[in-house]
Amino acid sequence: MHINLFLMGCGHHRAAWRHPQSSVEQLGDIRYYEALAQVAERGKLDAVFFADSGAAGNVSDGSWWYLEPLTAIAAMSRATHRIGFISTVSSTFYTPFHAARLLASLDHISGGRIGWNVVTSMFDAEARNHGYRKMPDHDERYRRAEEFVQAVSDLWDSWDDDALLFDRQGHYADPGKVRAINHQGEFFHVDGPLNVPRPLQGHPVLFQAGASEQGRALAASRAEAIYAVAYDLPAAQSYYRDIKRRVKAAGRKVDVPIMPGLVTYVAATEEEAKAKQRELDELLPADASLRQLALFIDQDCSEWELDAPVPPLPSLENFSGPQGRYSTILRIIDTENPTLRQLLGRLAAGGGHCTLVGTPETIADQMELWFCNEGADGFNLMPPSLPGGIEDFVDQVVPLLQQRGLFRRDYKGHTLRDHLELTRPGCN
């Protein structure tokens, strides 16, 4: 299976930064992130992943972001040797040339270990920091994303692999192997060529995480690996089978790995693991939890009664926000019929992603169950607290997966494409 570490502040639990032993004071210190990447590399994980946002959010609730991810990755890649690095880059707020140049540069700096998580961004608060009054509508964002990916790919291919000559008596590069792309589309006009030679991987690996119809279509046509939100195995299987079918229908021969998010609380006994979870849950103020829920469901819920059932929510078809997380919330409500307080607890770490609380053996059992039953090709680890959450997983769960023949004991290659068993694309 493939396993990435999804880094987020002090951890994915909304209260992780409040814990007396948290690393909150180190969030601006690149050595904190380098050390986390080194732990993940010791566990032979495929990559470290950063999400990103164009807005600060409510600063009272803690910060998911501190250092800009691409800048941090440049440093982290120099402190590691084999592990990959993936960052979100928004197709709504960047230009193709800017994104292509940044990612190509990182691929060269890291020795071919970079991936790009293409997103369309989600919130009006982000849009207002980037020259928009509000986010463009859903369909427009995905049309732009499709064109954006094409233009970026063309820019990476604007240099042939063997274009550089370094002929001190002649050409630095062969003029016949560096060309304009002359892209003219609905959203972008890009002449090219790129001012960075072709990335070492040909293209940095393209990740995508879309649950809407347009998101699934983009994933099927373009993605080389996919992040998913799945509350339980049946939900994971439904998404997994649909995406695999779409990839095949698109005529693609690549086996696109699907990696749902996974939150783990690991301890020697189930009681100890539950105590870890409870310790973090009890640190989270109700108002912070309600603000998180309001973000996910796109409506104010500050006046809702905590110990009453969750009020009716709009259907998925009538919801205009990010649909992956929202559909998971609807599934939790439909499956568990929770009170509002109980729902907030389920969302506290990971926001509805699968959460496993138990011993290394029980967690490895569930991961194996998903992996062997069309639920996942791997997982995007979302430790509730850091660094403890990833150290526990690497030291206690990874050896079990290795013993069962489910996870590598060492890297077989040097690039992220090698880790994910993806072929290197040729120039178009």
Side-chain angles (χ1 to χ4, degrees):
M1 63 177 69
H2 302 291
I3 304 177
N4 289 344
L5 167 60
F6 183 176
L7 282 188
M8 188 77 89
C10 293
H12 284 264
H13 196 290
R14 297 290 296 185
W17 71 274
R18 298 178 181 274
H19 194 280
Q21 297 176 343
S22 82
S23 302
V24 65
E25 293 85 3
Q26 300 177 44
L27 290 182
D29 186 343
I30 190 59
R31 291 170 295 184
Y32 168 70
Y33 304 94
E34 290 172 342
L36 291 170
Q38 288 166 349
V39 172
E41 186 169 60
R42 174 163 58 82
K44 312 304 179 186
L45 272 58
D46 293 69
V48 172
F49 165 56
F50 284 94
D52 197 17
S53 172
N58 189 308
V59 296
S60 298
D61 297 340
S63 176
W64 294 122
W65 297 275
Y66 198 121
L67 301 179
E68 189 279 320
L70 298 178
T71 307
I73 285 172
M76 294 164 72
S77 71
R78 302 295 297 154
T80 54
H81 303 282
R82 305 288 277 278
I83 195 165
F85 292 94
I86 304 153
S87 179
T88 290
V89 175
S90 172
S91 62
T92 303
F93 302 137
Y94 280 73
T95 68
F97 193 93
H98 192 200
R101 186 186 191 196
L102 287 168
L103 292 163
S105 297
L106 281 175
D107 207 51
H108 285 288
I109 290 169
S110 66
R113 293 186 281 146
I114 298 302
W116 167 28
N117 183 45
V118 58
V119 302
T120 65
S121 296
M122 297 184 283
F123 303 114
D124 290 345
E126 297 177 89
R128 290 191 294 270
N129 285 334
H130 291 277
Y132 296 84
R133 293 186 177 181
K134 63 178 184 178
M135 288 298 297
D137 67 46
H138 196 267
D139 289 346
E140 179 180 328
R141 295 203 310 272
Y142 273 94
R143 292 199 317 275
R144 179 184 170 106
E146 182 72 38
E147 184 182 337
F148 191 100
V149 171
Q150 183 62 58
V152 168
S153 299
D154 289 346
L155 284 166
W156 286 333
D157 288 342
S158 62
W159 291 67
D160 285 355
D161 289 319
D162 58 352
L164 292 170
L165 298 176
F166 304 129
D167 179 0
R168 285 173 169 79
Q169 306 306 315
H171 297 292
Y172 167 77
D174 185 338
K177 295 183 178 182
V178 182
R179 60 199 147 269
I181 67 169
N182 295 319
H183 175 93
Q184 296 190 30
E186 179 183 2
F187 299 99
F188 305 108
H189 289 186
V190 187
D191 284 356
L194 193 63
N195 55 356
V196 179
R198 196 162 193 253
L200 295 183
Q201 295 184 102
H203 297 176
V205 179
L206 180 60
F207 283 72
Q208 206 267 341
S212 68
E213 178 61 30
Q214 295 93 330
R216 293 180 189 224
L218 180 61
S221 65
R222 294 284 189 175
E224 296 176 286
I226 294 172
Y227 291 135
V229 182
Y231 156 68
D232 57 11
L233 180 55
Q237 289 171 325
S238 175
Y239 182 84
Y240 184 99
R241 291 164 180 164
D242 180 59
I243 293 295
K244 297 289 186 179
R245 176 189 60 79
R246 289 172 184 254
V247 170
K248 185 176 180 180
R252 300 176 64 198
K253 301 192 184 304
V254 61
D255 185 14
V256 178
I258 297 174
M259 307 170 69
L262 178 64
V263 179
T264 60
Y265 295 85
V266 187
T269 67
E270 185 174 342
E271 291 71 24
E272 291 175 42
K274 288 181 177 178
K276 284 186 176 183
Q277 182 183 36
R278 186 166 57 250
E279 185 178 18
L280 287 176
D281 286 349
E282 290 174 352
L283 292 173
L284 187 63
D287 58 348
S289 296
L290 289 168
R291 282 192 288 271
Q292 181 191 41
L293 179 61
L295 188 70
F296 291 157
I297 66 174
D298 196 25
Q299 61 176 291
D300 182 17
C301 52
S302 59
E303 301 299 322
W304 291 0
E305 187 177 342
L306 285 171
D307 293 307
V310 180
L313 296 176
S315 68
L316 185 63
E317 293 74 21
N318 294 320
F319 182 71
S320 59
Q323 296 195 349
R325 190 65 51 80
Y326 188 73
S327 64
T328 298
I329 290 171
L330 293 181
R331 184 170 179 81
I332 294 172
I333 293 171
D334 184 59
T335 303
E336 301 181 12
N337 192 28
T339 64
L340 178 58
R341 190 187 302 275
Q342 290 169 333
L343 177 63
L344 296 177
R346 295 289 283 114
L347 299 176
H353 286 275
C354 177
T355 300
L356 300 180
V357 185
T359 66
E361 291 78 10
T362 60
I363 288 171
D365 288 345
Q366 286 299 306
M367 294 177 71
E368 182 174 3
L369 180 67
W370 283 44
F371 180 68
C372 294
N373 289 277
E374 296 187 325
D377 296 311
F379 298 91
N380 198 26
L381 293 181
M382 303 170 67
S385 62
L386 291 167
I390 186 57
E391 290 171 341
D392 289 343
F393 188 90
V394 164
D395 293 337
Q396 300 177 52
V397 180
V398 166
L400 293 179
L401 297 174
Q402 291 170 332
Q403 291 167 20
R404 299 180 189 189
L406 296 170
F407 192 62
R408 68 172 69 87
R409 292 183 180 272
D410 202 355
Y411 296 107
K412 294 181 179 178
H414 291 81
T415 71
L416 181 55
R417 288 188 176 276
D418 290 336
H419 305 340
L420 295 169
E421 301 176 274
L422 298 170
T423 58
R424 185 181 186 276
C427 284
N428 292 329

